[in-house]
Amino acid sequence: KNEVEQSPQNLTAQEGEFITINCSYSVGISALHWLQQHPGGGIVSLFMLSSGKKKHGRLIATINIQEKHSSLHITASHPRDSAVYICAATSGTYKYIFGTGTRLKVLA
Amino acid sequence: DTGVSQDPRHKITKRGQNVTFRCDPISEHNRLYWYRQTLGQGPEFLTYFQNEAQLEKSRLLSDRFSAERPKGSFSTLEIQRTEQGDSAMYLCASSLGITSTDTQYFGPGTRLTVL
């Protein structure tokens, strides 16, 4: 069992839909990160969470420390949101422990 | 551009050859990380440096792999006697090095194909 797991693995949505991507982890963490990866490899950090909720534009990230669970929500999805979304944990050491990613495709 | 850069972006080599990749981190960043990503998977940790010191190595980093950061600035990752299983995207990231939760900034990656 991976230390960080994501669901779903693939997600197709229609433009405008509300999207939720889930991340569960089995390790104690110091922070949980959400990242976006576009085709070609570039990875961009979206959020770092240690508690509660953060919002940036149409993106919202939440974390429940007791349940070891985090969610990334995209409101009013748009085709340009199509990418792979990855959650990663840091747990005392400095390295990221990555989930397998969720491939999102938003159709116009 | 002051982001993390990697060179080359693509490398095709024959099995058994040696390859070397370079990573230039953001200039004030003390920590530098190497990750490997195979198709359809999330990245996996390989190793990281605090300045010039290599502080952690993954079990994934076999004897054929070596990484250096000689002056605490750029880093190189060398793979000797490449195997087809080494085909992957090799990602470099850097961070300030202040806390364990520093945001890491990723380079564009080097895609290695071993024939």
Side-chain angles (χ1 to χ4, degrees), chain A residues 86-97:
Chain A
I86 308 174
C87 67
T90 46
S91 66
T93 65
Y94 305 109
K95 65 191 179 194
Y96 281 8
I97 304 169

Side-chain angles (χ1 to χ4, degrees), chain B residues 47-75:
Chain B
T47 189
Y48 95 91
F49 293 84
Q50 174 82 31
N51 299 312
E52 65 274 10
Q54 188 174 19
L55 296 187
E56 187 175 347
K57 291 167 59 172
S58 163
R59 290 171 298 163
L60 293 174
L61 216 64
S62 75
D63 291 346
R64 297 185 296 106
F65 288 71
S66 62
E68 293 183 340
R69 195 183 182 197
K71 296 183 181 178
S73 57
F74 73 91
S75 175

Side-chain angles (χ1 to χ4, degrees), chain B residues 76-90:
Chain B
T76 58
L77 177 69
E78 181 183 16
I79 309 174
Q80 296 183 326
R81 305 180 305 281
T82 52
E83 301 173 357
Q84 288 185 325
D86 297 330
S87 295
M89 176 76 85
Y90 289 84

Side-chain angles (χ1 to χ4, degrees), chain A residues 1 7 23 30 37 51 56 74 76 81 84 86-87 93 103:
Chain A
K1 191 179 189 310
S7 63
C23 177
S30 47
Q37 185 172 30
S51 64
H56 181 69
I74 305 175
D81 297 325
V84 177
I86 308 174
C87 67
T93 65
R103 186 174 301 275

Side-chain angles (χ1 to χ4, degrees), chain A residues 14-80:
Chain A
Q14 293 294 323
E15 184 174 358
E17 285 186 7
F18 181 84
I19 289 164
T20 297
I21 299 170
N22 296 300
C23 177
S24 298
Y25 52 90
S26 57
V27 293
I29 66 166
S30 47
L32 192 287
H33 306 261
W34 282 100
L35 308 112
Q36 182 190 57
Q37 185 172 30
H38 280 283
I43 293 177
V44 175
S45 180
L46 298 175
F47 296 103
M48 184 187 71
L49 295 161
S50 53
S51 64
K53 177 179 174 178
K54 287 189 176 180
K55 184 175 188 291
H56 181 69
R58 295 180 295 104
L59 301 179
I60 302 166
T62 64
I63 189 167
N64 184 316
I65 299 294
Q66 286 74 30
E67 294 186 3
K68 295 188 174 180
H69 181 269
S70 177
S71 294
L72 176 69
H73 305 285
I74 305 175
T75 62
S77 59
H78 189 276
R80 66 176 174 265

